[in-house]
Amino acid sequence: SHWYHPQPLPLLCSKNKNSTTMKISATALALASLTGLCYSFTTTNTGSLKIRPASTTAILSATVEEAATYADPSRYLSDHPKNNVPPHIAALVGRGLHTRPDHPIGIIRAKIQEYFASLPNEYIVYDAEDPIVTTTQCFDDLRIAPDHPGRSPSDTYYLDDSTLLRTHTSAHQSEHLRSGVDCFLCAGDVYRRDEIDSSHYPAFHQLEAVKLFPKEDMAGADGLSGEDWENSAEGKGPGGVILVCW
């Protein structure tokens, strides 16, 4: 796929000159939570709530109705010449599977959320954000090059020249960082024009965690990437677990 990098990338953005930002993907964390392990990280407008220790049902029920407000295919279908969203994809938006307490995706998401609730920092949860984003949010703010194939209409569902169905939850990072939030989770459904096979489907879900660290805390890893980053003390979380940075 054009979207996935074989190696972790350098840190991409900062809150200000004294801070850097790290995104931790959490697919393996979810599996670790379900199996009782302690730590595991790997690659893989807006409703929000603050993480508190709570039952799975309580955590998820708060935003299921908000996520469902986007279940309106007419929002995504038009006769604009750049619109390439087919009806069957428009019909998938707004199901809110990640907010349903009885759905496997919702259960995994709740397990991840419960883990972050156990940490000292208070993470705000954004899980009912509008799946329509701008090219600036989805690409420019994340330093995705103008000629990156992921921007192509063959890879992305466009509504018009400047808006699209988000291809990753990272499309919401910049707005939250600019608002001053320094610890948050972002979960939601995302869309890419992938060919369907055993490991690809054009609609799927992501959950990412973002935390800003003081620049002085990360000074030892300044300028590092790839294996150099992974092998640095700053690139390892509790118990020596590698933190994947994008």
Side-chain angles (χ1 to χ4, degrees), residues 9-99:
L9 301 179
L11 294 169
L12 291 183
C13 54
S14 63
K15 181 179 180 183
N16 55 51
K17 66 180 181 179
N18 296 317
S19 300
T20 55
T21 184
M22 176 181 295
K23 182 178 85 173
I24 307 169
S25 296
T27 299
L29 174 57
L31 298 177
S33 299
L34 291 172
T35 56
L37 300 178
C38 293
Y39 303 98
S40 184
F41 297 86
T42 187
T43 56
T44 44
N45 180 343
T46 64
S48 67
L49 55 96
K50 291 188 176 181
I51 293 182
R52 305 286 188 189
S55 69
T56 298
T57 300
I59 288 173
L60 295 180
S61 62
T63 54
V64 64
E65 292 184 2
E66 292 177 83
T69 61
Y70 304 120
D72 178 6
S74 66
R75 298 185 75 226
Y76 317 108
L77 302 174
S78 76
D79 56 3
H80 191 283
K82 293 295 181 65
N83 187 297
N84 63 350
V85 181
H88 72 279
I89 294 297
L92 296 177
V93 185
R95 293 178 298 168
L97 301 183
H98 62 291
T99 63

Side-chain angles (χ1 to χ4, degrees), residues 7-211:
Q7 295 294 333
L9 301 179
L11 294 169
L12 291 183
C13 54
S14 63
K15 181 179 180 183
N16 55 51
K17 66 180 181 179
N18 296 317
S19 300
T20 55
T21 184
M22 176 181 295
K23 182 178 85 173
I24 307 169
S25 296
T27 299
L29 174 57
L31 298 177
S33 299
L34 291 172
T35 56
L37 300 178
C38 293
Y39 303 98
S40 184
F41 297 86
T42 187
T43 56
T44 44
N45 180 343
T46 64
S48 67
L49 55 96
K50 291 188 176 181
I51 293 182
R52 305 286 188 189
S55 69
T56 298
T57 300
I59 288 173
L60 295 180
S61 62
T63 54
V64 64
E65 292 184 2
E66 292 177 83
T69 61
Y70 304 120
D72 178 6
S74 66
R75 298 185 75 226
Y76 317 108
L77 302 174
S78 76
D79 56 3
H80 191 283
K82 293 295 181 65
N83 187 297
N84 63 350
V85 181
H88 72 279
I89 294 297
L92 296 177
V93 185
R95 293 178 298 168
L97 301 183
H98 62 291
T99 63
R100 297 183 183 181
D102 57 350
H103 193 280
I105 294 175
I107 293 170
I108 292 176
R109 171 220 182 235
K111 287 292 185 180
I112 297 172
Q113 203 166 301
E114 289 168 2
Y115 167 80
F116 279 94
S118 72
L119 301 180
N121 299 97
E122 186 174 59
Y123 285 78
I124 295 177
V125 178
Y126 297 98
D127 59 3
E129 298 178 288
D130 197 330
I132 297 176
V133 297
T134 66
T135 53
T136 297
Q137 291 174 287
C138 199
F139 302 125
D140 299 331
D141 284 352
L142 298 172
R143 296 187 182 180
I144 295 177
D147 60 349
H148 192 286
R151 292 179 181 254
S152 169
S154 65
D155 279 30
T156 295
Y157 292 110
Y158 282 90
L159 279 68
D160 54 35
D161 295 280
S162 59
T163 59
L164 58 134
L165 289 177
R166 62 186 170 215
T167 60
H168 42 212
T169 52
S170 301
H172 302 289
Q173 276 193 26
S174 60
E175 61 187 292
H176 298 317
L177 291 171
R178 291 187 181 109
S179 73
V181 180
D182 58 7
C183 290
F184 62 90
L185 303 183
C186 188
D189 44 332
V190 298
Y191 301 87
R192 298 176 185 173
R193 295 192 69 187
D194 287 335
E195 292 186 9
I196 299 175
D197 59 26
S198 61
S199 60
H200 293 85
Y201 193 73
F204 57 104
H205 290 75
Q206 290 185 341
L207 188 156
E208 62 186 74
V210 178
K211 175 178 168 58

